[in-house]
Amino acid sequence: MSLYNYVWTQNGITAKDSLVYPFEERGLQFGDGIYEVIRIYQGNYDLLEAHIDRLYRSAEAIRLKVPFNKETIIASLQELAEKNAVQTDAKVYLQITRGSAPREHTFPDVPSNLYAYIEESPRPVAQLKQGVRTILAEDIRWDLCYIKSLNLLPNILAKQTAKEKGAFEAILHRNDKVTEGSSSNVFIVKDNVLYTHPAAKNILHGCVRNRVLTLAAESALEVQETIFSTQQLLDADEVFITSTTSEVMPVIEVNGNRICNGEPGVITRRLQLAYEKVSEIQRTASTS
Ligand code: PDD
């Protein structure tokens, strides 16, 4: 997928090829930083404020100084989209690290490094329609997964295993209790009740997850933010995952077991449509 030419850094907007970091960089050497992935539909940001609020929460949790206030970050990201004349469906990747400094574990006294770039990102239209296959994987991450940290090794390994097994996502569990996906949140529907893991410290508090909970409440669907087991997942009437790039993605298989006869469920479809409506997605605009 192609990258747009201009990137935003703490020193302003510049051409992406002019951006060079030393190899003694905290993100590179320690994964000492945080990030956000934010959706752009037809050139317009979606859920921008929610993502920036989460960025500050992640920064505070790892004692990282964000070099700008919220208003400046939002204005700069808007400027970046304008400068790149983004018209398509895309996503912005925003990363902040603890800066460039000689390698030593303790915090250096240097400014943070920040960059944001925009990449074209068509909606996964076919998968949203048909649903996706998933596998189960042990959640071997640390306790503070609400921090959107650069340390993604367990997520990468789980997603790679999913890919090798022909699946779209790995659904993670700790001692048979489902936490979230390797890069998504997980929901099940059973007897017309929607269940998802509580927004505790061991999962990422997804922006799409929050929006789906609001939509569910608005449609008078009963919601329980409660922990459920892998067996409940397998026995669910419907399963779906949510994320910035996957939106409300129906799950039709877990570890080779079909969910909902291998079709996206009715409640999933309803939430998917409500989600599209609220994020003002122009469905015809992108292909996949
Ligand atoms: N991933 N859980 C994890 C572990 C994630 O990495 C993500 C997002 C989510 C969903 O969060 P949101 O609804 O705010 O996108 C849940 C992003 C897209 C990524 O890292 O690519």
Side-chain angles (χ1 to χ4, degrees), residues 35 37 51 54 141 148 155 180-185 204 206-209 242-245:
Y35 75 103
V37 179
H51 282 279
R54 187 172 64 190
R141 302 173 301 164
K148 207 159 167 57
N155 309 60
E180 61 179 332
S182 73
S183 64
S184 61
N185 292 114
L204 187 74
C207 296
V208 178
R209 173 190 179 279
T242 62
S243 83
T244 294
T245 48

Side-chain angles (χ1 to χ4, degrees), residues 227-247:
I227 293 171
F228 54 88
S229 67
T230 49
Q231 193 55 51
Q232 284 173 292
L233 174 76
L234 293 167
D235 291 341
D237 298 331
E238 303 182 24
V239 177
F240 64 89
I241 54 175
T242 62
S243 83
T244 294
T245 48
S246 305
E247 303 180 3

